[in-house]
Amino acid sequence: MASYTLDINNKKHQVEVAEGTSLLWVIREHLGLTGTKYGCGIAQCGACTIHVDGEPMKACVLPVNNFSNGEKITTIEGLSENGDHPVQKAWIEAQAPQCGYCHSGQIMQAVNLLEKNPNPSREEIKEHMNGNICRCGTYLRIIKAVELAAQNK
């Protein structure tokens, strides 16, 4: 076991886990932040998308030992205390989720897009969201939610 200090959602967390443990499992199992989901385990579906220093990354393939240099990690819980981030509100307004499983990762990806490009075209939205899979196929509602969030920012 090794000890790691992680900066997650603007709080320092001390964890003791085996070297090489996935950041996803540290977030979910050791810190109880279960909004970040396990989907595929091979960084293909995007359900585990978090931000590391503002950039979206797939937590399922990131070893915890890569994150002891003060990197700022943000999970879906860190976007807003009350779930009222503009993208979260747009998701509700557009009724984007069906089963909802992928949507924390979808939202994290969309937040990154809108931080870089506050007024993306439909094609830019599709391109940026391409690495996140929705099993239920609510892609048109996801696109609508991103468009709403862009309008309401």
Side-chain angles (χ1 to χ4, degrees), residues 34 38 66 84 138:
T34 57
Y38 173 83
N66 289 356
D84 60 357
T138 64

Side-chain angles (χ1 to χ4, degrees), residues 22-25 27 36 48-50 57-63:
S22 161
L23 184 58
L24 173 63
W25 296 123
I27 290 168
T36 304
C48 66
T49 302
I50 59 169
M57 294 190 175
K58 310 297 193 313
C60 70
V61 296
L62 301 174

Side-chain angles (χ1 to χ4, degrees), residues 80-101:
S80 162
E81 266 187 49
N82 302 314
D84 60 357
H85 185 280
V87 174
Q88 291 170 307
K89 289 166 67 172
W91 235 253
I92 293 166
E93 186 178 339
Q95 298 180 349
Q98 187 165 321
C99 83
Y101 198 82

Side-chain angles (χ1 to χ4, degrees), residues 108-125:
M108 296 302 284
Q109 191 73 13
V111 166
N112 175 260
L113 168 63
L114 294 175
E115 286 173 352
K116 291 180 174 186
N117 181 355
N119 192 26
S121 68
R122 186 165 270 235
E123 280 308 309
E124 289 169 324
I125 294 169

Side-chain angles (χ1 to χ4, degrees), residues 134-150:
C134 175
R135 294 174 183 172
C136 300
T138 64
Y139 296 110
L140 293 177
R141 287 187 270 170
I142 291 167
I143 292 167
K144 179 65 177 167
V146 177
E147 291 172 336
L148 283 170

Side-chain angles (χ1 to χ4, degrees), residues 4 17-26 30 62-65:
Y4 301 95
V17 296
E19 187 175 326
T21 300
S22 161
L23 184 58
L24 173 63
W25 296 123
V26 171
H30 296 272
L62 301 174
V64 68
N65 39 297

